[in-house]
Every structure is written in C-alpha cells, then in structure tokens.
Amino acid sequence: MKVFFLSALCQLTLVLFLCFGIVFEADAQAEFIKNEGQWDTDYQYLAKLRHGDFWVGAQKVSFVLSDFGQPNQAHPHGKPENAKFHNYTMEFLGASSSATVSGHGKMKRYHNYYTSSNQRNWRSGVGLFGSVVQEDIYPGTNLLWKESEGNLKYEFVLNPGSNPENIRIRYNGLDDLKMVEGNLVLETSLGTISEQKPIAWQLDRLGRKIQVKCRFKLMDEHTTGFEFPSGYDNSKPLVIDPILVFSTFSGSRSDNWGFTSTYGEESCSYAAGIALGPRFPTTPGAFSGTFAGDSVGINIYATYDIGILKFNPSGTELLYATYIGGAEAEAPASIVVDKDSNLVLLGTTSSNNYPVTTTAFDTSYNGGTLASPYGPGEAVVQFRTGSDIVVSKLSKDGKILLGSTFLGGSANDGLLTLLELGNSPLVKNYGDSFRGEVIVDSTGRILVASHTLSLDFPTASPIQSQLGGGSDAIFAVFSPRLDSLKFSTYHGGSLDDAAYSVQFGEGNQVYLAGGTASNDFPASPGTLKPFFSGVVDGFVTRFSIGAAASTMRSTYLGTNRYDQAYFVQRDNAGNVYAYGQTIGSYPVTPGVYSNSGSAQFIHCLSADLDSTRFSTVFGSGTPIPNISPTAFLVDDCGRIYCSGWGGNTNNFSGYE
C-alpha cells in the first residue's frame, strides 16, 4: 500500500512555444546522461527521476516508474524483484526520420562506467546535461525536455507557420487512456496522470494574450492530438498549455505502506504509514531524519518505523517528513491535528526505546509476547517483544516532540493478533490488527480508543476496572501534554472485544464503536439491542465523563451472524451513525438507498442508542464483505461519506 498525493504544475517559460508540462519530481536538478554505449539501448539520454527512469530517443520517450524509486536502487538490500514497476512510452507519430537528440547546458560533472571485466564496455567522462532537445521532431518543431523547479517538463517549440495539428502522441503501455470532462486521463498501475483541459492563446502586436479555443482530440484508444474549434492565426506563434496532474508517491525509496491520513490548518494534509529502511524522504529539521529500525529483505524479519508526511493544500509541496520509532516494529493507527496545529499520533510499538518525553505518563515499555499481525506467512512484519500503545504529539513544523507516552500492561496492547494464540475472531480484514482512533477536544485533551490483552492495563476512574477476558476494548483520556491519564477503562466481556473508533457527543459525552465476541459484553437495558445474537456483533457505546463520576450506555449492533462496527459519527441533530460489515440479513429501513444482499452497513441511531433512525446496506450485492472500511464522515449538511478498499489482498481471514 502506498501513500498518494496530487501534484499539479505546468510552467510556461517562452510564450512563443507550444508548451506541455509533465510533472514528476526529479532528484535535485535533473541530469540528462548521454548514452555513449554504456547502455545497450537505442535511447540517447537517461534522466534519473525520483520515481524511476526517463529515457529520451529521437521519436519517442519512455518512463520506467517504480514504487521503490529508481529501478537500479529499488531496495536498500538489493532486492528490486520486490518493487512494482510500470513502463509506458510516448511515441510521436509521424515524427521526422531525421530527428535527432542533443544535450544542452553541459555540466562540469561527469560519470564514469566500469561495469564489467570487458574494457571495451568501459566509458569515462560521460557528459551530463541540464536539458535535451528532440530537434526537428516535426517540420519547424523542436521538443525540449528539462527540469523546472524540481519537476520534469516538456515544451513543443513551434516556428511561425508550423502546424500543431501535426502533433500526434501515441501512449503505449497504459492501463487506460480516456477523456473525462475534457481532461485526458492516463491510468497506470502506480497512479493516475491527468492532463487537464488545454488553455491556448496567441500574442497580439502589443504582447497581450488572446485566448484560442483548444481541446484534446482522442483519435483512438491510444492516440491523442489537439483541435481548434474556432481556428487560430497560423501566422502568429501559438501557445497550448494543458496542466498535467500526476498522483505522486510519498517520495520514499524505501518500502512504505500508508495507514492513515487527516487534514489540518488551512487544508494542509497529513499522512502516516510505516517505512522500511533509511530512504524515507525526511526534511531538514524534522524531529527524526534517521531510521531507527533494522531493514532486511522481504520474507525475512524486519522492523518498520512510522513515517509522517505533511503536504500543502494542493499536495504539490512536502512541508515536512519525519520518522518516529525505535529499534523494533511500529505502526500508526490514527492521526489528528489539534487546535494549535500540532499533530497527535496513536500507534503501536514493540520498541523499548520508542521516543517518549521525560514528563510522559509512562516512560517505560511494558512488553508482551511475539506477535505477527499479518499472519505467520508474513513474518516480515513482526512485533518480536510484544506491543504497547503509544501516543505522541509533534509540533506544527514537525521538529519538536511535544509529548509522547507508552500506554499498556505486561501483555500485548493495541494489537489484536498473536502468533502463538491464533487470530482473534475480530480480525477479518488485512490490517485489522492496527485499528484504533485518536481525537482531541477543544481543551486539548487527547482521547484514545483501542484494545488490550493486559490484566494490568493502567486505569483511571474506570467504569470497568478489570479485563473481562481475551482482549478488551479500552477508552482513555490524556492531558494535552500526555503527562497524566485523566480517565481510562476496560470495556468488554469474557471473550474478545475491541474499540476501533471514537467521536464526540453532546457536552461531556463520547461515543465508541467496535466489535465483540462476548455474550456478556456490558450492553445496557433499554437500548436498541441489549442482547448478543451473533458469532461477532458490533457495538456502539456512549460514555459520559463527568468531574465526579462517569457513566456508560451501550448497545450491540448486528444480526445472528458476523457483524462489526468500524466507525462511528454524529450529525448536527445528535443522531449517531455506525459504518461496518455484516454477513447476516442486516435490517434495511424503508425509503433509503440500498443494494440488497450487500455486506457493508450504515446504521443511524438516536443519541440514546435506543431506536433506529434508518439503516441500509451497500456494496456489490454479495453476502461476503468486499470492502474493508477505512474512513467515515457525516458532514454538517447530513451527507454521508464512506471509504474502503478490497480486492485479492483482502483475503487475510474468512468470515463465519
């Protein structure tokens, strides 16, 4: 899994040119390396991009993209077979057979190549250039490739009288090429490239821009060109400027999986995942620019650090990136931004040296037993020494750890699957082991929903003071600086229980959602479903946390088979929404959208959890869940947003 963000830039430098910008981040300044025989290919130049290689020939160019970065550096321990690649070419149909490629802006640096014992293949003093030009690619037309402000772009340079309608670009190797609302969309296995509607203009004699109507023309399923509905003045220079948007990778050249994201001040976006190895793109001044774990090849024991990225609102600039972790494995579950634009992280660690602050509630790792959260077949991610929950707060600029604490007992916390004991009946989707959520209230208090197997999990003014059995859900409230535990309670019955989501209610009320296999889960009389009825049921609980006392009201959710509630939300009228999975005949109320027989549900309940406002199911109409819920939102207008993923990867565990 990868973290993706949008990057959109197209820069016009010469108004006499027909310009297109293709945006891929380059390594510092792009260097076009001349092929003097060191590579057995008919391409004349190579540029190393952040996410792969770019080859330039006389009548075509080729992109070799990789989710690990440059193909020859695809894995920090030399295992490029674990990388995913996508190669596509842009072939310029009708290009002149006499077209040539030349380098411009020669650099003082050069490369030497001594790559075999055969001296005939050695090359020294190979030139590096700042740009390359495919000269006379069409009559009166050159095609320039160069780096501009960290991005690779290309420009068609047309002399007066040249015809841009000669330009025909055939895309070979794409998953799909289509037109969407006037935009050209290029689908690859590693991301989507969108060439937005072109803007065209010419200059009048006073140098003012005169817009010319221009649009893409999809000639066939592989080939594009341009058309001009109202014509243009062929005696004047013409500029066509479509902006190209590329769904970029996180920028990491180490293996990295995305786990969670959120938004912050002025619509900045944040992402958190796990990173293997020292090649995550940390920024100067970040809290930690050093990988603290141990990276090895796939299917061999390895540790991951948490990697955090902050992007500007358009996704075009990485504001900061940092590691956070210790010598063993870590994973994030949830992130949120507080009122002061600090980032709060909820995660799980197996490291006794995970970074904690000196005044933290708990500065010592509490241990546990070996855990393999993705199953014994994927031992590459193991929590060798058990697991603790961790909660950390980073400053707005990502440079200072404002607070950080362990939370846990002597068994595993924040992690559902144990290799020795078998899978929890609650773990049904790939990655379920790491579910949990953190939110922050208006006073800065930090609220956590998660789960524990520890008999000695730390409690504070608990409603339930002891572990019910198996795993229990937990709900905890920290002070803003994570130096004291204001409230903490177990929440569960005699079998496995876990909390996945937490949201605010009215006043001092808070709602939790999760799953339970316990027929003695503490459900409340008078709620919608006070009795257990399935192999696994979902639940929604309302906590009221007062200064002197705390109360709890809880209901099961579900059918007589498998059900779980993964997210909880609340609308402006006080109604409570749950989003989850089912394999039973989940009730559908009249008048709602529904795809009968589907295995994902949305259930809206009253604030007291005693009645249904509405409920429905959605999905593909199949009785087995095919969407693993990943995000849920009810906005101020009552609109409901669901997110999830599925596919062949999500076959981690069968359903009862």
Side-chain angles (χ1 to χ4, degrees):
M1 293 180 285
K2 299 291 174 187
V3 183
F4 296 91
F5 286 95
L6 294 180
S7 177
L9 283 177
C10 179
Q11 299 169 351
L12 178 67
T13 55
L14 297 175
V15 296
L16 302 182
F17 297 161
L18 171 60
C19 300
F20 306 86
I22 183 167
V23 182
F24 296 95
E25 288 187 54
D27 283 341
Q29 182 179 358
E31 299 175 342
F32 291 85
I33 309 167
K34 188 175 183 180
N35 185 4
E36 297 187 357
Q38 69 271 29
W39 301 304
D40 184 15
T41 178
D42 58 355
Y43 289 98
Q44 281 87 54
Y45 287 84
L46 167 67
K48 295 288 187 179
L49 307 180
R50 183 177 296 278
H51 305 306
D53 288 348
F54 170 62
W55 297 86
V56 183
Q59 290 92 18
K60 63 181 179 179
V61 297
S62 178
F63 293 91
V64 183
L65 307 178
S66 168
D67 62 350
F68 276 82
Q70 295 173 8
N72 64 335
Q73 297 176 348
H75 193 278
H77 289 263
K79 289 188 175 288
E81 68 271 15
N82 300 317
K84 294 179 181 178
F85 298 96
H86 193 107
N87 170 227
Y88 77 92
T89 62
M90 297 170 64
E91 180 183 0
F92 302 98
L93 300 182
S96 172
S97 59
S98 61
T100 59
V101 186
S102 60
H104 294 257
K106 189 171 183 179
M107 301 176 181
K108 294 181 179 180
R109 301 186 303 277
Y110 56 86
H111 285 183
N112 298 323
Y113 293 87
Y114 306 104
T115 56
S116 72
S117 59
N118 187 348
Q119 295 188 19
R120 293 182 179 180
N121 296 328
W122 293 359
R123 298 292 185 272
S124 61
V126 175
L128 308 177
F129 299 86
S131 63
V132 295
V133 175
Q134 293 167 281
E135 298 178 353
D136 295 318
I137 192 168
Y138 293 105
T141 302
N142 291 343
L143 178 55
L144 169 69
W145 295 89
K146 66 178 182 178
E147 181 262 345
S148 177
E149 296 187 7
N151 300 296
L152 183 67
K153 63 177 293 187
Y154 65 95
E155 299 175 348
F156 282 105
V157 183
L158 280 76
N159 295 328
S162 300
N163 187 359
E165 295 182 21
N166 288 335
I167 299 170
R168 292 177 295 145
I169 305 174
R170 181 179 176 86
Y171 295 88
N172 301 308
L174 295 177
D175 291 346
D176 193 17
L177 176 67
K178 57 189 176 183
M179 294 278 288
V180 178
E181 298 180 348
N183 302 318
L184 188 65
V185 178
L186 288 62
E187 296 284 355
T188 79
S189 61
L190 297 180
T192 299
I193 305 169
S194 176
E195 297 191 27
Q196 297 180 351
K197 299 176 184 178
I199 299 172
W201 68 85
Q202 295 182 302
L203 300 181
D204 65 12
R205 58 193 181 90
L206 297 178
R208 295 173 301 189
K209 292 180 181 179
I210 305 299
Q211 188 166 350
V212 176
K213 290 184 179 180
C214 175
R215 62 193 181 202
F216 286 117
K217 181 180 181 180
L218 195 58
M219 299 175 178
D220 58 40
E221 61 182 352
H222 302 292
T223 308
T224 65
F226 299 93
E227 58 184 354
F228 304 85
S230 303
Y232 59 94
D233 188 346
N234 188 253
S235 67
K236 296 178 180 178
L238 174 71
V239 175
I240 303 178
D241 186 11
I243 296 176
L244 188 145
V245 179
F246 182 74
S247 299
T248 70
F249 310 104
S250 67
S252 176
R253 296 187 186 177
S254 297
D255 193 7
N256 62 115
W257 302 351
F259 276 58
T260 182
S261 62
T262 192
Y263 64 93
E265 76 288 354
E266 300 175 350
S267 299
C268 287
S269 55
Y270 298 77
I274 55 176
L276 171 64
R279 300 165 72 193
F280 187 75
T282 55
T283 49
F287 165 69
S288 175
T290 304
F291 178 67
D294 176 31
S295 57
V296 297
I298 200 79
N299 293 326
I300 306 173
Y301 169 72
T303 62
Y304 283 74
D305 278 357
I306 294 170
I308 299 173
L309 304 135
K310 179 180 179 179
F311 289 84
N312 69 352
S314 64
T316 58
E317 182 182 359
L318 182 62
L319 301 179
Y320 76 70
T322 184
Y323 291 105
I324 183 167
E328 295 291 332
E330 280 87 27
S334 176
I335 54 177
V336 69
V337 175
D338 70 11
K339 61 183 178 64
D340 297 318
S341 301
N342 304 309
L343 184 71
V344 180
L345 163 76
L346 169 67
T348 307
T349 186
S350 193
S351 302
N352 62 13
N353 64 338
Y354 181 89
V356 294
T357 47
T358 55
T359 60
F361 162 72
D362 186 356
T363 59
S364 300
Y365 180 64
N366 299 284
T369 55
L370 172 68
S372 202
Y374 291 106
E378 291 205 31
V380 64
V381 182
Q382 285 189 359
F383 285 65
R384 289 193 300 184
T385 63
S387 63
D388 266 9
I389 296 167
V390 286
V391 187
S392 303
K393 180 190 287 191
L394 282 168
S395 60
K396 179 180 178 179
D397 57 9
K399 295 180 179 181
I400 302 172
L401 193 63
L402 300 174
S404 185
T405 185
F406 292 106
L407 176 65
S410 55
N412 285 12
D413 312 281
L415 196 66
L416 282 176
T417 304
L418 287 179
L419 182 61
E420 295 88 352
L421 301 180
N423 294 339
S424 164
L426 305 181
V427 177
K428 295 296 184 182
N429 303 282
Y430 191 82
D432 272 357
S433 298
F434 301 107
R435 290 189 185 271
E437 189 167 22
V438 62
I439 58 175
V440 181
D441 70 13
S442 59
T443 68
R445 292 190 308 172
I446 298 168
L447 289 68
V448 170
S450 189
H451 33 269
T452 182
L453 286 85
S454 297
L455 292 168
D456 53 351
F457 188 87
T459 59
S461 304
I463 294 174
Q464 179 181 328
S465 60
Q466 295 182 335
L467 182 76
S471 70
D472 269 6
I474 63 97
F475 172 49
V477 181
F478 282 99
S479 61
R481 299 192 68 85
L482 295 166
D483 52 3
S484 65
L485 190 62
K486 300 299 185 182
F487 176 82
S488 178
T489 186
Y490 290 100
H491 187 45
S494 56
L495 296 178
D496 284 356
D497 318 277
Y500 309 131
S501 181
V502 57
Q503 285 297 318
F504 296 111
E506 289 287 347
N508 61 354
Q509 295 178 349
V510 178
Y511 290 91
L512 257 66
T516 177
S518 303
N519 62 10
D520 55 352
F521 182 84
S524 307
T527 56
L528 178 69
K529 189 174 183 287
F531 303 109
F532 184 74
S533 62
V535 177
V536 173
D537 271 1
F539 72 82
V540 177
T541 298
R542 185 184 70 193
F543 287 95
S544 298
I545 308 171
S550 301
T551 61
M552 181 271 297
R553 183 171 174 82
S554 188
T555 183
Y556 288 104
L557 280 184
T559 67
N560 61 355
R561 301 190 68 185
Y562 161 85
D563 314 270
Q564 286 204 77
Y566 289 112
F567 289 95
V568 62
Q569 280 281 300
R570 186 176 165 274
D571 66 18
N572 286 340
N575 299 311
V576 180
Y577 297 71
Y579 167 32
Q581 291 179 327
T582 181
I583 64 170
S585 298
Y586 206 90
V588 176
T589 54
V592 297
Y593 166 81
S594 177
N595 190 12
S596 179
S598 295
Q600 290 72 226
F601 72 82
I602 297 173
H603 199 140
C604 179
L605 299 94
S606 63
D608 286 334
L609 306 177
D610 56 1
S611 61
T612 294
R613 297 290 188 250
F614 68 82
S615 63
T616 190
V617 295
F618 69 96
S620 64
T622 57
I624 298 298
N626 49 28
I627 298 175
S628 176
T630 57
F632 187 47
L633 177 68
V634 178
D635 70 13
D636 291 342
C637 299
R639 291 171 296 200
I640 302 169
Y641 304 82
C642 300
S643 176
W645 70 283
N648 291 334
T649 302
N650 196 27
N651 58 5
F652 178 60
S653 179
Y655 292 85
E656 302 297 337

